[in-house]
Amino acid sequence: MHRIIAAFLAAASCASLAQAQTAPIASPVAQLTLERALELAGAVAPSIEAASASVRAAEAARTVAGYRPNPTIVAETENVVGSGQYRGLRSAETTAGLELPIELGGKRSARVAVADAVSDRARIGAALATADLRLAITQAYIEAVAAERRVVTAREQAEIAREALRAATVRVRAGRASPIEQQRADVLRINAEATEERAERLTIVARDNLARRIGQPVSGPLDLAWFDRVEGYGPALRVAPAGTLALAAAQADVATATAQVRLARAQRVPDVTVSASARRLEETNDVAAVFGVSVPFPVFNRGGAAVTQANAERDQAEALRRAAELDTAQALANAEAEVANAATTARAASGPALAAAQEAARIARIGYREGKFGQLDLLDAERTLSETRTAAIDALAAYRDAQAHRNRLATAAPDLSRN
């Protein structure tokens, strides 16, 4: 009998092993890092699509600016449908030819210069859109990671509260504590579980917001190690305003305004239109050539006001550039200080302060179970630990957010050189 049972168990074990070997192994869901989120968002962001369309439009406008004026086909008939010898078409004179405008004063090259400046500004605008998207995605990612961290903390605090309630219940039943301790512990448990529920709900919202940004569900874990890491010690290297996107945009506006001044000056030079035609005389059936030249007579609009307007707009753009340089330098200095201060706060909150609060809570729990500490001491230690954990998460989120803002301000301008 024992041999039969042993044989049966061996067969069952072999069957289970074979089934386990043939069953497919579920692959773990890949971690969604910040860089991956940025990559996914760049492929679906409407702002990037709009900026790309703006660049294409500017490039098409550059092509149009280089075209020369189109010739005009001219055809006219004179001395028809009159009276006397001009009755009917017998005295008609038909002229057909071409008129060709000739631009003078460098108008075409001035138009091209304006189009080049506008194209450069569009490319800087595309880089600005990319930098703004990177900031928005980073902030959404920070919010999602911080929400996950808050859920973990809330769950741990809820479990601690339930354990405290169990300990209080034991003490009350043993007659070593007043029933009020059990009620206090129950209130602490209820509040901790409500906090856990709120944190879970906010986590779902934060992950959904991030999913909308990247265009796909956020099903995998987030990079919590990146969130907890505080980078660098000591003063950071200062970033000069020159070469940043903010200043590059202002400089591109100055270049556009300067090109507009050149175009306004070129527009003051009148263009010449030359024409060449063939005239046919109906009465004699003879053909004669007709040549003509036309030049505008600038009596009312001589273009001086347009030049004045363009100069004023250039002066405005130059003043705004200087203001942007001052604002960018100030913003960078403030951002660097905010990053340094946030890093200091994050290190303290997530390091020594958190360790001290955890140790105090641990001692208070042991002492409460052994009857050495009162419940108020335990509640105070647990409240301090909960507040310190929350402060650490907030400090890390503030540090990452300050980093994102600093990086946005320090984003380098794109290379606008043309091949």
Side-chain angles (χ1 to χ4, degrees), residues 79-152:
N79 303 329
V80 296
V81 195
S83 60
Q85 63 176 341
Y86 300 109
R87 183 175 299 173
L89 300 176
R90 62 185 181 183
S91 298
E93 297 181 2
T94 303
T95 306
L98 289 175
E99 289 184 353
L100 179 63
I102 299 177
E103 291 185 312
L104 302 178
K107 293 184 181 64
R108 178 170 171 268
S109 61
R111 282 198 312 271
V112 170
V114 172
D116 284 338
V118 172
S119 178
D120 289 345
R121 184 61 176 85
R123 293 164 67 185
I124 292 174
L128 284 168
T130 301
D132 290 338
L133 175 66
R134 187 178 184 88
L135 174 61
I137 298 302
T138 302
Q139 289 176 325
Y141 191 88
I142 292 170
E143 184 178 352
V145 176
E148 296 242 339
R149 271 282 177 248
R150 292 188 182 98
V151 163
V152 173

Side-chain angles (χ1 to χ4, degrees), residues 65-70 100-111 263 266-267 269-273:
Y67 290 149
R68 299 182 184 277
N70 289 321
L100 179 63
I102 299 177
E103 291 185 312
L104 302 178
K107 293 184 181 64
R108 178 170 171 268
S109 61
R111 282 198 312 271
L263 179 60
Q267 295 287 1
V269 180
D271 294 336
V272 174
T273 302

Side-chain angles (χ1 to χ4, degrees), residues 41-60:
V44 298
S47 59
I48 301 301
E49 184 178 353
S52 177
S54 176
V55 172
R56 294 197 306 271
E59 291 174 349

Side-chain angles (χ1 to χ4, degrees), residues 246-247 249-251 253-254 313-328:
L247 194 56
Q251 291 171 340
D253 291 337
V254 172
E313 291 174 350
R314 181 185 59 185
D315 293 342
Q316 179 189 25
E318 177 60 32
L320 292 175
R321 186 202 63 79
R322 294 196 301 271
E325 186 174 4
L326 295 175
D327 293 341
T328 303

Side-chain angles (χ1 to χ4, degrees), residues 163-196:
E163 180 62 29
L165 176 60
R166 286 191 290 269
T169 302
V170 171
R171 285 168 58 90
V172 170
R173 289 176 179 175
R176 293 187 297 164
S178 168
I180 194 67
E181 290 194 8
Q182 185 177 0
Q183 295 299 321
R184 286 197 194 111
D186 196 27
V187 171
L188 180 64
R189 176 193 63 80
I190 293 172
N191 291 335
E193 290 179 349
T195 301
E196 179 185 5

